[in-house]
Amino acid sequence: MLEQLLIFTRGGLILWTCKELGKALKSSPIDTLIRSCLLEERSGEVSFNYEAYTLKWTFHNDLGLVFVAVYQRILHLLYVDDLLSMVKESFSEIYDPKRMSYGDFDETFRQLRMEAEARGEELRKVKVVSSVKKQGQVSKSGLDGGIKSGGGGSKKDDGDGDKDKVGSLMTNGNHKDDDKTDLANGKENTADNVVLDPSKLMKLRSKGVRGRGGVRKTDSIGNKSSKVSAAEPPKKATKKNRVWDDAAPKQVKLDFTDSVGENGNGNHDHVDIAAADQGESMMDKEEVFSSDDESEDDDDDEPRSDEKKPEAKKKGWFSSVFQSITGKANLERTDLEPALKALKERLMTKNVAEEIAEKLCESVEASLEGKKLASFTRISSTVQVLCFGAMEDALIRILTPRRSIDIMRDVHAAKEQRRPYVVVFVGVNGVGKSTNLAKVAYWLQQHKVSVMMAACDTFRSGAVEQLRTHARRLQIPIFEKGYEKDPAVVAKEAIQEATRNGSDVVLVDTAGRMQDNEPLMRALSKLINLNKPDLVLFVGEALVGNDAVDQLSKFNQKLSDLSNSGTTRLIDGILLTKFDTIDDKVGAALSMVYISGAPVMFVGCGQSYTDLKKLNVKAIVKTLLK
């Protein structure tokens, strides 16, 4: 049963809702649809599932109206799409931008609903009948096939036995090439039409095809040693399984970490290194476009402005009369397909995941379909301009953060509560978590914030030493417990130590892990649930394409599935590394933001501590569409 049907403008003004269906919906599914789907350029999807509800929608792009239907998820209502299209057509005829109330539409909707339900019932009956007929045909064909196969078997028994043996000889060997030639000639490779070819027979014998007696030809021709070797194959050396419990044999310990005290701080008194001072971090510098980029942008904009000039001119008497007679043309899906196909290919060449590029084009298509165009405009050129503009707006909306994450503000707020601000760096192997953690620490130092590093990568050899090297260069305290320790416990003790010492921020380094590694993902979920960090940063490479979607979606899915608390903690932000190596292939940023909804907070663009900057949304969008 239909739960709700709502009509509202793109600005959010509710024009009409069905009073008969005025039931209170749980958890505001329509608000969630607007936030998570319509505003995130996912309007090209067929439906949206939220808790116990399924939502479907359609647009009237020329009038700027949105029609949304809500029904129970367990029900498969076949008439919802027809009902939305009929409501859209009927309501657009009486719509007036100055009118706020549409109480007279109730009776119209009642009739449309009855008509749509009747169509849905007929469609359901037709589907049931067709499925029953299909099952009957399948069972009948299976019975006929069994009878035919039985008849064929009796004929084979009456035939010549030698032909059967020749057929088995030709079919038991390596017969891929023979099958292809037989199928090409339109013949089936059976015992009735196989012609014995001596050259093929010799070829098959050399490959070791079985003969009449079941003995391989190579064995009958070969010597006795081959038979002995075939009977007793040599034993392969098997790899010994490693024992992980206390019963494992003592091995040489490859742990070169310094002696650690009870508070987790190593003995580094013998090392005296001056703090690295490499100047101001790029995070605090405003990125300025060069004049060449501006001139290129102006050149790109010139043809579009020329194409729009006829619309900007004041219409004359003749054009006004002629347009009133001919009316306006509506954009159809076939008009948009060439331009959207070109946009999709352009995005994919910029390293945007194919799935993301396709969804973006579907969203742009849904926002433009049905728009009216002036009669004296070329549809091809106008469609290109409209698609380009709609895609640009969509990309800016996606890459612009939905919520503001001001780290410095949050650090001072945590300091007032007398607790450290905790940041956890997660990601796959080899993306540069430790290096970019040091860059973030250097940036925080520039803002007079005391930082402590926590070496919670107790899995990879050399991880503690790598982080300790950064800590020495930056003269930042580091909390470490060596290897083979529980990362969640190490992080908890580091936070406690930072609270005692009065550190403002704790940067937690974790082990790299693939998104499909269940034990390591379980350990990461335990670390996050136990310590409840203020910020979870996903560190990803700017080099990845389609794999970015898989990485982020599975990280979020694992964190959600393995969470043992009431509130699920997911990825809060993204740190994009190796951005200086990709030239114009900047699509990974778009793929990661689209699939996770988390903003890109930092961009690593070099090897020094200052090479950390903010994401320039305008520059990324222009690069994607260039």
Side-chain angles (χ1 to χ4, degrees):
M1 181 180 178
L2 199 65
E3 295 289 331
Q4 186 59 271
L5 196 140
L6 193 67
I7 303 175
F8 57 93
T9 64
R10 287 187 180 270
L13 178 64
I14 298 177
L15 299 176
W16 180 84
T17 180
C18 182
K19 296 178 181 178
E20 295 182 357
L21 304 176
K23 297 180 181 179
L25 300 177
K26 299 178 181 178
S27 305
S28 302
I30 297 179
D31 293 342
T32 307
L33 169 71
I34 295 172
R35 288 194 306 268
S36 303
C37 192
L38 303 186
L39 294 180
E40 291 296 319
E41 298 303 325
R42 291 179 171 86
S43 55
E45 297 181 359
V46 178
S47 61
F48 176 73
N49 293 326
Y50 179 71
E51 293 186 356
Y53 301 107
T54 295
L55 294 86
K56 289 192 174 184
W57 62 92
T58 186
F59 300 109
H60 197 299
N61 292 313
D62 192 45
L63 300 179
L65 301 179
V66 184
F67 303 82
V68 180
V70 186
Y71 59 94
Q72 289 289 337
R73 191 173 181 177
I74 60 174
L75 302 177
H76 299 284
L77 302 183
L78 303 177
Y79 63 87
V80 175
D81 294 328
D82 291 338
L83 179 61
L84 283 174
S85 61
M86 290 189 294
V87 169
K88 171 184 171 182
E89 183 179 356
S90 300
F91 191 83
S92 59
E93 296 176 357
I94 64 172
Y95 174 70
D96 184 4
K98 299 180 181 180
R99 185 177 172 185
M100 297 290 107
S101 177
Y102 293 88
D104 55 345
F105 190 70
D106 294 343
E107 184 61 30
T108 305
F109 172 74
R110 190 179 297 108
Q111 296 176 0
L112 294 176
R113 182 184 173 192
M114 292 173 61
E115 183 178 351
E117 288 179 350
R119 290 182 183 178
E121 186 65 22
E122 292 177 0
L123 183 61
R124 188 184 65 81
K125 292 179 180 179
V126 169
K127 283 189 174 183
V128 171
V129 173
S130 62
S131 63
V132 171
K133 287 183 178 180
K134 189 175 181 181
Q135 290 178 359
Q137 291 176 357
V138 170
S139 60
K140 184 178 179 181
S141 61
L143 184 60
D144 294 341
I147 296 172
K148 289 180 180 179
S149 62
S154 62
K155 288 181 180 179
K156 258 188 179 177
D157 295 338
D158 297 337
D160 192 2
D162 294 336
K163 287 187 178 181
D164 293 341
K165 292 178 181 178
V166 172
S168 64
L169 177 64
M170 296 298 293
T171 55
N172 284 336
N174 187 3
H175 57 280
K176 291 183 180 178
D177 298 335
D178 301 337
D179 289 344
K180 290 181 180 177
T181 55
D182 292 339
L183 291 175
N185 295 329
K187 297 179 181 180
E188 189 181 359
N189 190 9
T190 60
D192 297 332
N193 55 17
V194 170
V195 179
L196 187 61
D197 190 352
S199 62
K200 290 184 179 181
L201 184 59
M202 293 298 295
K203 184 179 179 181
L204 293 172
R205 282 180 177 177
S206 63
K207 293 183 179 180
V209 182
R210 294 182 183 273
R212 290 192 178 188
V215 181
R216 296 181 66 87
K217 297 296 180 182
T218 54
D219 294 339
S220 61
I221 297 174
N223 53 15
K224 296 180 180 179
S225 62
S226 63
K227 294 182 180 179
V228 174
S229 61
E232 297 179 0
K235 295 183 179 180
K236 294 182 179 180
T238 58
K239 184 178 178 180
K240 295 181 179 180
N241 294 327
R242 183 165 181 175
V243 183
W244 292 95
D245 56 6
D246 297 335
K250 297 295 182 181
Q251 297 180 355
V252 179
K253 188 173 183 181
L254 299 177
D255 189 357
F256 298 100
T257 57
D258 296 339
S259 57
V260 180
E262 294 181 357
N263 58 355
N265 295 320
N267 184 14
H268 310 313
D269 297 337
H270 62 283
V271 180
D272 187 12
I273 300 178
D277 188 7
Q278 302 183 11
E280 185 182 1
S281 176
M282 295 177 66
M283 281 289 295
D284 302 320
K285 296 179 182 179
E286 294 293 335
E287 189 173 358
V288 181
F289 285 105
S290 63
S291 58
D292 297 337
D293 295 337
E294 292 178 356
S295 61
E296 289 178 2
D297 297 336
D298 294 339
D299 295 339
D300 293 340
D301 294 339
E302 282 178 3
R304 292 199 294 270
S305 61
D306 292 340
E307 290 171 354
K308 291 183 179 180
K309 280 182 180 178
E311 296 180 11
K313 290 182 180 180
K314 190 175 180 180
K315 297 177 182 178
W317 174 81
F318 178 76
S319 62
S320 301
V321 172
F322 191 76
Q323 183 175 334
S324 64
I325 296 174
T326 58
K328 295 182 179 181
N330 291 335
L331 277 178
E332 297 180 356
R333 184 169 298 183
T334 54
D335 302 327
L336 299 171
E337 282 179 356
L340 291 177
K341 184 179 180 181
L343 275 177
K344 179 184 175 181
E345 293 176 354
R346 183 180 300 183
L347 290 175
M348 290 176 63
T349 58
K350 303 295 183 181
N351 217 17
V352 178
E354 181 181 2
E355 177 186 355
I356 306 300
E358 187 173 351
K359 288 184 177 180
L360 281 171
C361 291
E362 290 175 356
S363 178
V364 170
E365 179 184 343
S367 65
L368 293 178
E369 187 179 0
K371 273 197 171 184
K372 291 184 179 180
L373 298 178
S375 300
F376 295 104
T377 57
R378 292 174 55 193
I379 291 181
S380 59
S381 59
T382 307
V383 164
Q384 290 180 0
V385 174
L386 288 175
C387 289
F388 188 91
M391 181 63 75
E392 186 177 13
D393 295 340
L395 295 178
I396 292 175
R397 259 195 313 272
I398 292 171
L399 292 173
T400 303
R402 289 180 294 174
R403 63 186 187 280
S404 175
I405 301 180
D406 190 344
I407 292 183
M408 300 308 303
R409 179 197 62 195
D410 296 340
V411 166
H412 291 300
K415 190 175 181 180
E416 292 177 357
Q417 300 174 8
R418 297 183 179 180
R419 65 174 184 85
Y421 185 82
V422 183
V423 183
V424 175
F425 293 77
V426 303
V428 299
N429 307 80
V431 295
K433 289 184 294 299
S434 302
T435 304
N436 286 274
L437 182 147
K439 293 181 185 180
V440 174
Y442 181 78
W443 170 67
L444 291 172
Q445 275 188 321
Q446 298 290 308
H447 290 270
K448 310 300 180 184
V449 175
S450 60
V451 183
M452 173 186 279
M453 294 182 179
C456 296
D457 185 355
T458 62
F459 186 78
R460 176 174 63 91
S461 300
V464 177
E465 289 79 6
Q466 179 186 5
L467 201 64
R468 188 192 304 144
T469 302
H470 289 302
R472 287 174 179 173
R473 294 196 63 193
L474 297 174
Q475 288 191 350
I476 291 175
I478 179 173
F479 186 91
E480 58 178 271
K481 285 290 187 180
Y483 297 100
E484 299 179 0
K485 303 294 190 303
D486 189 351
V489 176
V490 176
K492 185 176 181 179
E493 294 178 359
I495 296 171
Q496 293 172 354
E497 180 67 19
T499 305
R500 287 192 295 268
N501 296 339
S503 298
D504 299 331
V505 177
V506 178
L507 302 180
V508 180
D509 185 29
T510 62
R513 66 206 74 214
M514 297 306 294
Q515 59 269 24
D516 297 322
N517 193 323
E518 182 76 18
L520 288 180
M521 289 303 300
R522 192 175 296 277
L524 178 63
S525 178
K526 178 184 176 182
L527 186 149
I528 293 175
N529 292 327
L530 180 63
N531 297 284
K532 295 180 173 54
D534 298 280
L535 185 66
V536 179
L537 276 181
F538 179 84
V539 184
E541 284 182 329
L543 303 170
V544 296
N546 290 322
D547 198 38
V549 178
D550 188 58
Q551 288 177 8
L552 262 172
S553 60
K554 287 189 176 179
F555 258 81
N556 271 333
Q557 186 64 40
K558 290 292 184 182
L559 291 178
S560 175
D561 294 342
L562 300 175
S563 176
N564 53 10
S565 59
T567 57
T568 302
R569 189 64 185 275
L570 304 178
I571 302 297
D572 298 319
I574 299 169
L575 196 158
L576 208 58
T577 65
K578 307 176 185 178
F579 206 74
D580 55 324
T581 64
I582 58 172
D583 194 20
D584 62 342
K585 303 294 189 293
V586 296
L590 177 65
S591 300
M592 289 183 178
V593 174
Y594 187 91
I595 201 66
S596 66
V600 176
M601 302 182 62
F602 301 99
V603 175
C605 54
Q607 298 181 8
S608 62
Y609 292 133
T610 59
D611 294 331
L612 190 73
K613 63 181 182 180
K614 298 177 182 177
L615 183 73
N616 193 319
V617 175
K618 187 176 180 181
I620 294 295
V621 171
K622 288 189 176 181
T623 304
L624 286 171
L625 297 179
K626 192 183 341 183

